[in-house]
Amino acid sequence: MLQAILHVRNGRADAGLQRIDGSARYRARNFGEAHPLTVESKAVRAMAYQALRRDRDALSDYEIVFRSLFAPDTSFVDAEPSGLRGFYTPIALHSFLSMVAAAYRESPARGVTDGMASDAFRVADRLRASAVQQALIDASARVAIGNPEIAEFARREQDTRRQSRELVAQLNAQLEADARLTKEAQERHKAKPDPAEAASQRALASERRAAIAKSREAVAAADKARGAIVRELAARFPAYGALVNPKPPTLDQVADLLDRGEALVSVYTTPTATFVWFVGSGRGPALHVSPLAQAEVRALVAKLRATLDVGDRPSPGSAPVDLASAHRLYQELLEPFASRLAGVSSLVVATNGDLATIPFAVLVSERPSAGEPAWLVRKHAVTHVSTVAAFAALRQVDRRATAAE
């Protein structure tokens, strides 16, 4: 996996594809198409296809990845396990965003399909959640201790996860032993043909393959059982499930959750571009990809924060707010949606990185002049959320509570 990624990153996509394609096929054959190990290898294969400009093949693999990543029975730990493996899928997801950005640059109006825009929206929120999700899972584990029913679900899920890992390790050992013993038998037969020995080896090989088939079935059964536990937990305790296993909503799902006069803006910054999605309750969602790169965003935020952070200043309030930086950020992030913002009274904002350290209320919608600055907050009430998934979970809880009254 790592070697394939390094090949792709260093301009040797052909070599990367050759290495990862065999891994993807091997894992699909032995662990199943939906197993996290198979999905992980297809995520890296999508990167290789993308680097070779085989976009159709890349999108096909990315679709498989998204189907698994956002499935209700896929947990956060499946997609981002501990250790080095936890980096593979996020790297591939960032690669997909770069594909979307390239398509947008080629044709802002037609380059990105609605499906790609919605997938990118969910991918960005999934990446945004990665930084804080493990802390939430750890905190939720402490909550589970105080609720016997949730604790029992958590114990069962952990037991089946452990069983699945053990079964996969056993299957890998069986496959390696079968390949080694088969090769040794072939070499002995080639050196000294013996019909009786060959027949014996064929019988032993048949027994090994039967054992391998049983192990494959056991892996599939364990994964199915764990998926059922995750789904039941989410159904019985939706608030807890949304906390430990959040699923980024689609653009259309977010639109359904918004009230009249409300809109949501999701902003995700990458090293080469900044993605902005606008979702309102009245009109269809829209995507804008700004050329503003991570380094430029960091510089603008630093200048703006220098005039907002007054705690260490001898005379707080003596320095004027950096209106030029505040307006530049507005121009790049929100001005493309100016006509949609006209009817919005409440704006929900989800950001990442440096942008998450400033309140969007201080952005300025007009070029700075001698008069009163056109603060964004004067036109829209601004609320910040950590992720779109968190917003959706809270909104759904509120609606369930209202319906129960």
Side-chain angles (χ1 to χ4, degrees):
M1 294 286 290
L2 181 58
Q3 288 181 330
I5 291 174
L6 291 174
H7 279 314
V8 171
R9 288 291 183 88
N10 289 284
R12 299 187 297 273
D14 280 321
L17 179 60
Q18 185 176 4
R19 179 169 290 274
I20 195 59
D21 186 54
S23 173
R25 293 175 186 276
Y26 173 88
R27 291 180 175 187
R29 183 171 62 253
N30 290 297
F31 307 134
E33 292 286 351
H35 193 277
L37 288 171
T38 305
V39 174
E40 178 184 87
S41 61
K42 289 189 176 183
V44 176
R45 188 173 69 181
M47 290 177 58
Y49 281 139
Q50 181 181 337
L52 291 168
R53 298 185 181 279
R54 292 172 57 176
D55 289 355
R56 183 173 298 179
D57 292 325
L59 287 172
S60 177
D61 270 353
Y62 279 131
E63 280 300 318
I64 293 170
V65 174
F66 301 153
R67 215 163 35 238
S68 171
L69 190 65
F70 302 131
D73 54 357
T74 301
S75 71
F76 186 87
V77 180
D78 291 327
E80 284 191 36
S82 59
L84 183 62
R85 277 190 54 220
F87 292 95
Y88 297 152
T89 298
I91 288 172
L93 296 182
H94 276 109
S95 183
F96 171 72
L97 290 181
S98 71
M99 171 185 275
V100 175
Y104 184 91
R105 285 193 296 270
E106 188 173 313
S107 176
R110 296 186 299 276
V112 180
T113 66
D114 291 344
M116 286 177 69
S118 189
D119 284 339
F121 176 75
R122 302 183 83 187
V123 163
D125 205 55
R126 181 62 177 72
L127 289 168
R128 186 186 290 121
S130 299
V132 298
Q133 193 57 38
Q134 191 57 54
L136 288 173
I137 291 172
D138 293 341
S140 299
R142 293 192 289 274
V143 172
I145 294 172
N147 187 313
E149 286 188 90
I150 294 178
E152 175 61 17
F153 272 109
R155 183 194 63 75
R156 287 168 54 202
E157 195 275 337
Q158 290 165 5
D159 286 347
T160 53
R161 181 183 298 282
R162 183 164 50 250
Q163 180 190 25
S164 180
R165 283 199 298 264
E166 290 169 355
L167 289 169
V168 167
Q170 174 183 299
L171 176 56
N172 275 325
Q174 289 174 316
L175 290 166
E176 290 172 6
D178 179 58
R180 175 175 52 79
L181 292 171
T182 299
K183 183 178 179 181
E184 290 173 357
Q186 289 172 342
E187 289 174 349
R188 285 197 304 272
H189 183 72
K190 185 177 181 181
K192 188 178 180 181
D194 183 337
E197 170 70 11
S200 174
Q201 288 300 323
R202 283 195 297 271
L204 290 173
S206 179
E207 291 176 5
R208 290 197 304 270
R209 295 208 177 122
I212 287 172
K214 286 185 178 180
S215 292
R216 286 173 178 155
E217 291 173 0
V219 168
D223 287 341
K224 184 177 180 179
R226 187 171 57 80
I229 293 170
V230 173
R231 287 194 300 274
E232 188 178 356
L233 175 60
R236 292 274 301 279
F237 304 97
Y240 178 82
L243 185 64
V244 300
N245 192 24
K247 298 299 175 185
T250 65
L251 288 165
D252 290 340
Q253 288 169 338
V254 171
D256 290 340
L257 291 171
L258 294 170
D259 294 327
R260 186 177 180 85
E262 190 175 39
L264 181 140
V265 171
S266 172
V267 185
Y268 192 81
T269 304
T270 73
T272 58
T274 296
F275 293 78
V276 190
W277 293 266
F278 183 97
V279 191
S281 59
R283 298 171 62 181
L287 167 67
H288 169 66
V289 182
S290 165
L292 203 63
Q294 216 163 45
E296 295 174 277
V297 169
R298 183 172 296 118
L300 287 168
V301 168
K303 289 198 293 183
L304 181 55
R305 284 202 56 163
T307 60
L308 294 175
D309 295 341
V310 298
D312 298 329
R313 211 179 286 153
S315 302
S318 58
V321 173
D322 183 2
L323 298 178
S325 295
H327 182 57
R328 174 76 190 288
L329 287 170
Y330 175 86
Q331 281 182 307
E332 294 292 342
L333 306 179
L334 296 179
E335 193 169 72
F337 310 108
S339 62
R340 293 171 178 262
L341 280 166
V344 172
S345 57
S346 178
L347 189 64
V348 181
V349 179
T351 58
N352 73 303
D354 295 287
L355 286 173
T357 67
I358 59 167
F360 270 43
V362 301
L363 299 190
V364 177
S365 60
E366 297 175 10
R367 190 176 298 279
S369 62
E372 179 71 15
W375 305 112
L376 185 67
V377 73
R378 291 190 178 279
K379 296 180 179 178
H380 317 282
V382 181
T383 304
H384 287 261
V385 294
S386 58
T387 64
V388 180
F391 164 79
L394 290 170
R395 187 57 60 91
Q396 287 162 352
V397 168
D398 287 344
R399 290 192 174 179
R400 280 194 295 266
T402 301
E405 291 177 357

